[in-house]
Amino acid sequence: MEFAPKGFVANHPWRDSDNRSDRVWVHARSLSLGTMLAPKTYVNHWTCTRDVNVMFDYGLRHLSVYFLHLGRRYRIDSHFGDIDGDMKMECEGNITHLTFSLRCPTRAWREKIIAMEDGGARPDIRATNKQVYKTWERTLDIPLDADAERCIEAEPKRVRCGVFPSFASHRVNLATWLTIRLKFEPEDWMRKDLNTMITCCTEFNLIPPNFNHRRQAPLRVLPASQLDMTHTHERRAQRIQDFDVLYYLECAISQGIVNEINLEDEIYDLLNEAGRIDPSYPRGIMMELLANTSRVWKPYDACYNILSKKRSNVGVRQAIPDHCVPIRKIMVTPATMYLQPPTIEVTNRVVRHFSDYADRFIRVQFVDEGTTRISATFGGHSSSAIYARIYKVMQHGIQIGRRRYDFLAFSSSQLRGHGCWFFAPTRELTCNMIRAWMGTFDHIKIVAKNAVRMGQCFSTTIPTILLNENQVEVIDDIERNGYTFSDGVGKIAPSLARDVAAHLQLETTPSCIQFRLGGAKGVLAISNFLSGKRIQLRPSQIKFDSVHTMLEVIRTSTYLPAYLNRQAITLLSALGVKDPIFMRMTEKMVNAMNYMLRNPSAAIKLICQNMDEHGNANTMARIIGSGFLERSDPYIINMLNVFRVSKLKDLKEKARIHVPNGAFLVGILDDTGSLEEGEIYVRISNNLNDTGSQRRPPIVGPCVIFRNPCFHPGDVRVVTAVDKSALRHLFDVVVFSSKGFRDLPSMLSGGDLDGDDYTQVFDQVRVCVA
């Protein structure tokens, strides 16, 4: 590494932070919100002229517009990355217009003045400066005018009405009016700030560097009153007969491919007429329309051209596997909803049982503007409006056409992603009826746990074998000193495991299966002590009562490579592992990634060391082994480059270092009593074309074991891997001992055996820790 020579001065304008601020403030004459009717035609829907100020923060790369409206101060924020295309600048004398469109709605804030009086806080604008402080709160309701403000205040609060995809009336439509037009008419002493703003925008590629306003044709500006603004969601629901076609059209509108102001009555007639010929025609037309990545300015012409060119091929449907089903999804933001076209997903227990109503299930996810995660608020800012929006959608449901989707339940993974399931009830089936069929949850009095147990039925699973009641037994848990050694692990007979493997079309019978069976969850490990086709469950696996007896498989035990991450590296370093060891592992990994592009054998070896649970690595290894890399096949070369870039990106951002002598395996319990305290059994299979005779011998010796996430040095343990003949039938799992004072999984970041994965390292790292 070389340092800059003495006296070096960077010429970049943002290097000198003392002489130049990252923020530029400019006073604007007016702020207008509207839409683009055509590439050169702007429709103005709303304008504010009171106290408009624009702030460009080039350090954080976002802009804010402050304005005063109906006696309240507001602010709208957008990131530079949300700007669609370039900003359009028009100059005429002393007047400058800056027009730009956004990909997603802005974040709207309202200033809140809080007075400190009588030991409490309440809004009081008349308080003195010493008694008040100002903060910002998110808002979704910016009234159009004084009359609209009175209408908003008079709206009934407790009337149950589904939330429509369209924006509420009497408010500034932040969801659709995505084009911002700023008018600047600065005084002489303010001209410098405007020029600075324009220069900085050019440096950040917001305005083209070679922009010449004299050669640019000015935008044509039209008031919204001159256009037909009656193409609302309610009108579309009345004109379009097929719900699927209506849903696809709403998808195109919500994603910005089509705008309401470009719709014509002829497009409804075209879709309905095509539907009379074949119901799949209008759906195929809308799917082709959704394939566009840019704005469609003339939707009717686009639909007509699609139908004319493809004709009967427009309605061809793709084949769907038996265990999959198309599921719709809606992303709800504070200002709008993004309707997603159906995607093929693995089914769950509820959707399979009510397959006749599968099109009435829908996934709903709550996100912030720009589809970012809803985060906590800091600095006194309030997000009560966002929480009120979420509560309203959950309580009132989502109305699309004649269907109203109501909240049903959510799974544990959806809860982490702020998602849930909704269902459109009918006279024959309601949400309460579905929840009653799922099982008995009355004994679970904790609200959060009750909801999570319901979500257990929504885990994506593959149905395998329908069991009888006499095939399922309940055995006692192994408990000692207040610890449950067998928490989440049961047993399955080898013959039944072979039937499950045959149903899943697996070449070998897995040693462990992560499953769902009625109200039970966890894993089932093969036990040679069981005969026939039986399953033994433990009380720790049974979460609620259910009459469902289909054995559903989430996944089977497979070998996955071991990786270190930032948490594990930090703890291993604290436990005595020297930093040069990690540096050598990183350097070796980078060199191997570079060398595999030139050597097919090295590529196969490296791919086999980085197996994935979806089998993509196996496919790549077989293609390379067939000689396609030696012939410089562009497809396999691109796949290798993507694989290499992905691994290097993980290495850079997450410090994800591959450990050659390691494994990432699911944990089970030793039901034979062969292992002593502090011992584990690990036997991993070969990566390709594994058979019983080709499996590697069991790992023997000291090894390091941990579970992610790990935060304390005690979460990393040194154990002894041993070889036991009674466990030789198990592979691609880590077997823990059932003896000792406390079970080992609970000492690894509070883990258990209901499907948790554990990382074992049999490398030089283990020697340093030991």
Side-chain angles (χ1 to χ4, degrees):
M1 180 182 295
E2 296 183 359
F3 294 94
K6 185 176 181 180
F8 173 79
V9 178
N11 295 324
H12 196 279
W14 298 109
R15 294 289 185 183
D16 191 0
S17 58
D18 295 335
N19 298 331
R20 189 168 188 175
S21 174
D22 288 346
R23 295 186 177 184
V24 176
W25 289 82
V26 182
H27 175 73
R29 180 66 64 183
S30 65
L31 162 69
S32 299
L33 299 180
T35 53
M36 298 299 295
L37 180 64
K40 296 296 183 180
T41 305
Y42 168 75
V43 179
N44 184 18
H45 291 273
W46 179 80
T47 301
C48 177
T49 58
R50 294 194 59 188
D51 198 11
V52 180
N53 292 279
V54 184
M55 188 270 292
F56 282 81
D57 192 329
Y58 297 98
L60 299 178
R61 287 172 172 76
H62 84 267
L63 63 92
S64 301
V65 181
Y66 298 78
F67 57 94
L68 189 65
H69 180 57
L70 299 178
R72 304 292 296 269
R73 188 158 182 80
Y74 295 90
R75 183 188 90 208
I76 54 176
D77 296 338
S78 295
H79 293 279
F80 288 176
D82 297 335
I83 298 177
D84 188 8
D86 297 328
M87 291 183 171
K88 301 177 180 62
M89 188 172 65
E90 307 167 68
C91 298
E92 184 179 354
N94 193 39
I95 299 176
T96 301
H97 287 94
L98 195 64
T99 308
F100 56 93
S101 299
L102 301 174
R103 296 188 177 92
C104 62
T106 62
R107 292 175 172 86
W109 301 81
R110 180 171 55 202
E111 189 179 60
K112 185 177 182 180
I113 301 178
I114 301 177
M116 304 296 295
E117 292 184 0
D118 301 329
R122 73 168 192 263
D124 188 358
I125 299 179
R126 295 185 178 181
T128 62
N129 293 333
K130 295 182 179 180
Q131 296 174 312
V132 303
Y133 67 92
K134 300 179 181 179
T135 185
W136 292 95
E137 60 179 357
R138 286 289 292 270
T139 183
L140 307 177
D141 301 335
I142 303 179
L144 289 172
D145 48 33
D147 294 336
E149 186 176 24
R150 288 188 290 269
C151 293
I152 294 175
E153 295 176 353
E155 290 178 351
K157 304 298 182 183
R158 296 187 177 183
V159 177
R160 190 173 190 270
C161 180
V163 180
F164 287 87
S166 55
F167 203 78
S169 57
H170 308 301
R171 297 162 175 83
V172 174
N173 194 338
L174 300 174
T176 306
W177 303 344
L178 298 180
T179 302
I180 299 177
R181 184 173 174 86
L182 299 169
K183 178 181 178 181
F184 301 95
E185 192 176 357
E187 303 292 340
D188 293 339
W189 59 276
M190 298 175 60
R191 172 62 61 177
K192 180 179 178 182
D193 295 334
L194 179 61
N195 293 335
T196 302
M197 182 201 71
I198 295 174
T199 302
C200 296
C201 289
T202 304
E203 294 173 355
F204 279 82
N205 294 326
L206 300 179
I207 299 177
N210 55 353
F211 178 80
N212 188 345
H213 62 84
R214 295 180 180 177
R215 298 181 180 178
Q216 301 294 325
L219 288 178
R220 181 188 177 195
V221 181
L222 297 176
S225 58
Q226 295 184 6
L227 300 178
D228 181 13
M229 307 300 295
T230 60
H231 292 278
T232 61
H233 174 77
E234 292 80 359
R235 182 176 181 181
R236 293 191 292 272
Q238 294 175 356
R239 294 295 306 274
I240 298 179
Q241 302 170 359
D242 191 345
F243 175 80
D244 291 336
V245 179
L246 173 64
Y247 182 84
Y248 283 126
L249 181 58
E250 295 299 326
C251 290
I253 294 174
S254 65
Q255 297 178 22
I257 299 175
V258 176
N259 196 289
E260 292 180 344
I261 61 176
N262 296 119
L263 293 178
E264 301 172 354
D265 290 334
E266 289 78 5
I267 191 173
Y268 307 136
D269 300 332
L270 174 65
L271 296 175
N272 291 331
E273 185 65 27
R276 296 187 188 99
I277 300 174
D278 191 328
S280 63
Y281 281 4
R283 302 170 190 172
I285 293 174
M286 297 310 301
M287 286 299 296
E288 291 289 336
L289 193 66
L290 285 169
N292 290 277
T293 58
S294 58
R295 171 85 174 269
V296 177
W297 299 102
K298 297 181 179 180
Y300 173 78
D301 294 344
C303 294
Y304 182 81
N305 293 334
I306 293 173
L307 183 61
S308 301
K309 292 179 180 179
K310 296 198 172 184
R311 295 187 180 276
S312 59
N313 294 329
V314 75
V316 177
R317 289 191 176 186
Q318 64 182 107
I320 301 176
D322 295 336
H323 62 279
C324 297
V325 67
I327 295 293
R328 299 185 178 99
K329 181 180 179 180
I330 297 179
M331 303 180 72
V332 180
T333 71
T336 185
M337 296 182 188
Y338 295 106
L339 279 66
Q340 307 292 326
T343 56
I344 306 301
E345 297 184 6
V346 179
T347 59
N348 54 60
R349 179 188 307 173
V350 178
V351 176
R352 278 194 302 270
H353 186 268
F354 301 100
S355 57
D356 294 338
Y357 302 91
D359 63 327
R360 290 183 168 269
F361 290 91
I362 195 167
R363 288 181 180 269
V364 177
Q365 184 181 9
F366 298 95
V367 295
D368 206 342
E369 306 300 350
T371 65
T372 58
R373 184 180 177 86
I374 298 177
S375 58
T377 55
F378 302 97
H381 294 174
S382 174
S383 296
S384 300
I386 298 179
Y387 305 143
R389 161 82 165 177
I390 296 174
Y391 179 76
K392 183 178 180 180
V393 172
M394 297 279 285
Q395 185 183 38
H396 296 173
I398 299 175
Q399 187 78 33
I400 302 177
R402 296 177 178 87
R403 288 189 185 181
R404 189 185 70 195
Y405 291 89
D406 294 333
F407 169 76
L408 180 60
F410 55 81
S411 62
S412 299
S413 59
Q414 285 182 316
L415 182 61
R416 291 190 291 269
H418 300 167
C420 54
W421 283 95
F422 276 50
F423 178 76
T426 64
R427 294 181 179 180
E428 298 80 15
L429 185 64
T430 63
C431 294
N432 290 332
M433 296 170 62
I434 295 176
R435 285 189 284 262
W437 173 88
M438 288 160 52
T440 304
F441 308 96
D442 297 339
H443 64 286
I444 306 175
K445 303 302 180 182
I446 302 175
V447 176
K449 182 177 290 188
N450 187 293
V452 170
R453 294 298 177 232
M454 285 187 183
Q456 184 175 317
C457 301
F458 289 91
S459 300
T460 54
T461 57
I462 300 177
T464 56
I465 299 173
L466 186 63
L467 301 176
N468 299 324
E469 293 183 1
N470 56 3
Q471 292 181 272
V472 182
E473 303 176 5
V474 179
I475 60 176
D476 295 333
D477 275 307
I478 301 177
E479 298 179 343
R480 194 180 303 113
N481 305 317
Y483 300 103
T484 304
F485 286 68
S486 58
D487 187 7
V489 59
K491 303 177 185 180
I492 184 173
S495 59
L496 184 56
R498 286 191 291 269
D499 293 343
V500 173
H503 194 279
L504 297 176
Q505 300 180 357
L506 302 178
E507 297 180 359
T508 59
T509 304
S511 301
C512 176
I513 298 172
Q514 188 175 6
F515 78 105
R516 296 287 188 270
L517 179 62
K521 60 174 290 190
V523 298
L524 296 173
I526 290 182
S527 175
N528 289 332
F529 297 102
L530 287 181
S531 60
K533 298 183 179 182
R534 295 185 297 157
I535 286 177
Q536 290 183 344
L537 302 178
R538 303 183 189 272
S540 60
Q541 296 181 282
I542 302 174
K543 306 301 181 181
F544 59 90
D545 296 331
S546 175
V547 297
H548 195 269
T549 58
M550 172 64 72
L551 179 60
E552 303 168 343
V553 176
I554 298 178
R555 60 168 180 155
T556 59
S557 57
T558 55
Y559 163 77
L560 292 176
Y563 287 91
L564 302 178
N565 55 21
R566 296 190 186 277
Q567 297 174 352
I569 292 173
T570 302
L571 296 182
L572 291 172
S573 179
L575 293 172
V577 181
K578 302 300 181 182
D579 293 344
I581 294 179
F582 301 115
M583 299 301 296
R584 286 195 297 268
M585 295 173 64
T586 303
E587 183 179 359
K588 184 178 179 180
M589 181 177 175
V590 174
N591 293 336
M593 289 291 172
N594 296 331
Y595 184 62
M596 76 171 184
L597 299 177
R598 305 187 301 270
N599 190 294
S601 300
I604 295 176
K605 180 180 179 182
L606 188 61
I607 290 174
C608 292
Q609 292 176 353
N610 294 270
M611 302 294 290
D612 64 292
E613 55 185 344
H614 304 291
N616 296 327
N618 276 340
T619 304
M620 291 178 60
R622 292 191 180 97
I623 293 176
I624 296 174
S626 301
F628 285 89
L629 181 60
E630 297 174 350
R631 291 193 289 269
S632 300
D633 183 76
Y635 175 75
I636 191 60
I637 290 177
N638 289 338
M639 289 184 66
L640 279 179
N641 284 324
V642 171
F643 174 80
R644 174 179 174 273
V645 170
S646 175
K647 296 301 177 183
L648 294 179
K649 182 180 179 182
D650 290 341
L651 181 64
K652 175 184 177 182
E653 297 179 355
K654 303 178 182 179
R656 201 163 184 260
I657 304 176
H658 176 245
V659 182
N661 296 325
F664 184 69
L665 306 174
V666 64
I668 63 174
L669 184 69
D670 172 28
D671 63 337
T672 65
S674 304
L675 298 177
E676 300 295 331
E677 183 178 7
E679 293 181 345
I680 63 171
Y681 175 85
V682 178
R683 186 185 184 188
I684 58 179
S685 60
N686 286 338
N687 299 324
L688 291 175
N689 301 322
D690 176 45
T691 61
S693 60
Q694 293 177 331
R695 292 176 189 146
R696 304 176 188 177
I699 304 297
V700 177
C703 69
V704 175
I705 185 170
F706 60 90
R707 171 183 170 272
N708 289 320
C710 49
F711 303 102
H712 189 272
D715 295 334
V716 180
R717 296 281 171 169
V718 179
V719 295
T720 303
V722 296
D723 182 10
K724 297 293 182 179
S725 58
L727 303 175
R728 281 268 179 147
H729 62 286
L730 300 174
F731 63 97
D732 290 342
V733 292
V734 51
V735 185
F736 293 97
S737 173
S738 59
K739 301 179 181 180
F741 180 84
R742 180 179 178 182
D743 59 310
L744 181 60
S746 66
M747 294 186 283
L748 302 175
S749 305
D752 51 30
L753 300 178
D754 66 349
D756 291 357
D757 296 296
Y758 299 86
T759 302
Q760 304 91 46
V761 178
F762 324 112
D763 206 343
Q764 55 184 339
V765 174
R766 67 172 188 190
V767 180
C768 298
V769 176

